[in-house]
Each structure stands twice: as structure tokens, then as C-alpha cells.
Amino acid sequence: MKARLVMLVVGFACSLMAIPSVARAGSSSAKVTATQLQKVLDRLDAVEQQNRDLRTQVLELQQRVQPLAAATPSVKEEVRAQVQQQVAPLAQQVTAITTAQQELPFGVGFRVGYSESPYGMPGGLRYSAFLNYRLLTEEDGIPFGDISGELEAALVKGGGATTVNNLGTILNPSIGAQKTWVDTVEIQPTVQYHLNLASAGFPALAQLKPYVLAGPGIWISMLSTPVVNRAKGAGQGFRATDADTQAGGVFGFGAKYSLAGLSLPPIQRILNRISVGTEYRFNLLANGWGFNQYTGSVQFGF
């Protein structure tokens, strides 16, 4: 386009030279026209310079875009990894929610373990049966867990000791110290707070529930001597027994683990209803005697 304008200017100048009178008469006009054309040429130079600048900018942008395009696959992988990291905790929360839905509020269970005995007698085997019912949950405003009520009936088969503190020796002091045993029947209604570790920020431990317990209790302790009469007939093999009944309180803590966390498809529906656990209790009788108990448990949910 610039070449065309140059040719136009040259042709126009030649025509002016062919007509001298006109050129002389309008010399000032010719000077004005040449100045205007120069301005046009300057503007064209400026436009071409802008075009060169734009082309340079486009090249620079292409150089920037090409590395980004090359890095796009790695960026996608990073984004995918970040999404997977976020999905994993969500999946654990879903699992915890599903497990909570499977745990029904009513449970029946059994405990077996070792218990000390009151009155300074040797301890022995303790076994019990209990009913547990969930009373309040997080939806009711309980922070990070639930509250349940439990009723347990237990029997402690204590050991034996040779002592004069038994009914036989008291009734007949001449027989002296006798081998004596103590068995204790316990009735303990308690209130328990179970901590939901998933709600407390530990979703990987959703199946484990620590708890604390407290409540009143009744203890019936039976002290017995050897068999009174070994002769055949009614009453054969009976032990003379004197009993003591005391009220008091029980305090303790424990933990239970839901087998729903295991993955055994053939029996999964059964495992979802079973939990196992361990527990410690301290019994404090109204007459001042206190003793400890350590048991393991299995519970079935319904």
C-alpha cells in the first residue's frame, strides 16, 4: 500500500511539472499537499510498527501457552490426586454413618472375668448378663456420643479361706476355724456415656467406642462353711450360709468394638450386630467395703 502511494505522489508531481504556470500559481497548495501525504506516510509507518508489536506479543503469548499446554496432563494428575485425598475422608464418614444406622439401640450381652470379693475374702470368677438400651444420641444434643441405660445381674464365685468368721464356728466354737467361701450376687443399673470417635475427629476409629459408667447397686454376699451333713436324704450336701445385703454405688469405664468394621461378606450381616469389649468396675458398698472387677464382654444388637 505504501508503494502505491509513492507512485501516486510521483505521478502527481510529474503532472505539476507539465503545467508550470499552474504549478507556479499553486506552489503553496502543492507544498501543503506534500506535507499531508508525509503525515499519511508517517501514520502508515506507525500502523506497521503497531502490527510488528502485536505480532511480537502474539509470539510471546504462544511461547507462554505452549509450556502450559504441555503441563496440562500433570496438572490434571495433581487435581485428581487432590480430589482422591478429599474423597477418602468423605468415604470414611459415609462408612461411619452406615455403621451407626446398622447399630440398633437395644443390646443383650454377657460378661466374664475376674472379681475381688468384699470382706477381705479371696476373689474369683465373675459372670453376668445385661440389657443395654440407647437413651439419647448426638441428634438429641449429646456432644460426640450417646447415653445408654444398662441393667446387669452378676454372680461372683469367690475363693475360700480358713477362718473362724463363719456361721458354723460361731454356733459351735469347739470346731475351730473352718474352710469358708463367699459368693456375691450383684444387681447394678448404670448410666453410660459412649464416645463416638468418628464425631470427635477420628473417623478411622469409628468402630471403637470408649465409655464411662456410674450407678447404684445391690450386693448380696453369702458366706458358707463346708457341707453340714453328708448323710443321704433330704438336705444332703447343703452348706450352712449366712448372707449380708448392702446397697452402694458402682463406677467404671470400658470400651467396645463393633465387628461391623470387619469385612467377611458371608457372615457380615451377623457381624454388624456383634460388638466385643473390655470393662473395669469399682464397687463401693455402704458399709465401706470396696473391690475391683475386670471383665470382657460380647453384645448382640437388635
Side-chain angles (χ1 to χ4, degrees):
M1 183 176 181
K2 183 177 180 181
R4 291 181 181 178
L5 289 174
V6 171
M7 292 177 65
L8 182 60
V9 171
V10 173
F12 183 71
C14 292
S15 62
L16 290 176
M17 292 174 65
I19 310 173
S21 60
V22 176
R24 285 193 300 269
S27 59
S28 60
S29 299
K31 291 180 179 179
V32 172
T33 303
T35 301
Q36 292 176 349
L37 288 174
Q38 185 61 42
K39 290 182 178 180
V40 171
L41 293 175
D42 293 341
R43 291 176 183 175
L44 288 174
D45 290 337
V47 170
E48 287 186 358
Q49 183 62 39
Q50 291 178 358
N51 288 336
R52 285 192 294 269
D53 293 342
L54 288 174
R55 284 195 296 269
T56 302
Q57 293 178 6
V58 169
L59 291 175
E60 291 177 354
L61 288 174
Q62 289 178 348
Q63 292 175 355
R64 293 179 183 179
V65 168
Q66 287 176 354
L68 292 176
T72 298
S74 61
V75 173
K76 289 182 178 179
E77 292 298 328
E78 292 179 2
V79 172
R80 184 180 293 108
Q82 292 177 359
V83 171
Q84 290 177 350
Q85 291 177 355
Q86 295 176 357
V87 167
L90 293 176
Q92 292 177 348
Q93 292 180 6
V94 171
T95 301
I97 293 172
T98 302
T99 302
Q101 291 175 343
Q102 292 171 343
E103 290 182 354
L104 299 181
F106 182 73
V108 177
F110 306 93
R111 292 190 179 97
V112 178
Y114 172 79
S115 174
E116 298 175 352
S117 293
Y119 305 106
M121 294 293 290
L125 180 67
R126 180 186 191 269
Y127 49 93
S128 67
F130 63 88
L131 303 176
N132 190 290
Y133 186 78
R134 189 181 305 141
L135 301 174
L136 299 170
T137 66
E138 292 181 70
E139 295 180 354
D140 301 309
I142 305 302
F144 306 115
D146 57 72
I147 292 179
S148 63
E150 181 182 285
L151 178 62
E152 181 186 50
L155 174 64
V156 178
K157 294 289 292 183
T162 301
T163 175
V164 296
N165 295 318
N166 61 76
L167 184 60
T169 302
I170 292 173
L171 294 177
N172 185 8
S174 62
I175 63 176
Q178 297 291 306
K179 187 72 172 180
T180 307
W181 293 264
V182 64
D183 297 327
T184 303
V185 174
E186 302 173 339
I187 301 174
Q188 298 178 347
T190 58
V191 175
Q192 303 178 354
Y193 169 77
H194 295 254
L195 175 63
N196 186 347
L197 292 175
S199 299
F202 302 93
L205 301 176
Q207 312 302 332
L208 181 65
K209 286 191 174 183
Y211 63 90
V212 294
L213 62 92
I218 297 176
W219 289 262
I220 304 173
S221 298
M222 297 165 288
L223 204 66
S224 60
T225 54
V227 174
V228 175
N229 186 4
R230 298 184 181 276
K232 294 182 178 181
Q236 177 186 3
F238 178 75
R239 285 183 174 181
T241 302
D242 54 304
D244 175 76
T245 302
Q246 292 288 333
V250 57
F251 315 91
F253 57 87
K256 67 176 183 178
Y257 180 82
S258 173
L259 298 187
L262 303 179
S263 180
L264 296 174
I267 57 172
Q268 192 63 45
R269 294 183 63 183
I270 298 176
L271 295 179
N272 290 342
R273 297 179 177 275
I274 301 176
S275 62
V276 296
T278 182
E279 186 181 271
Y280 163 79
R281 294 192 179 206
F282 177 74
N283 301 277
L284 181 61
L285 278 59
N287 59 9
W289 282 102
F291 57 99
N292 303 297
Q293 298 174 329
Y294 314 87
T295 56
S297 66
V298 58
Q299 178 176 319
F300 303 91
F302 296 94

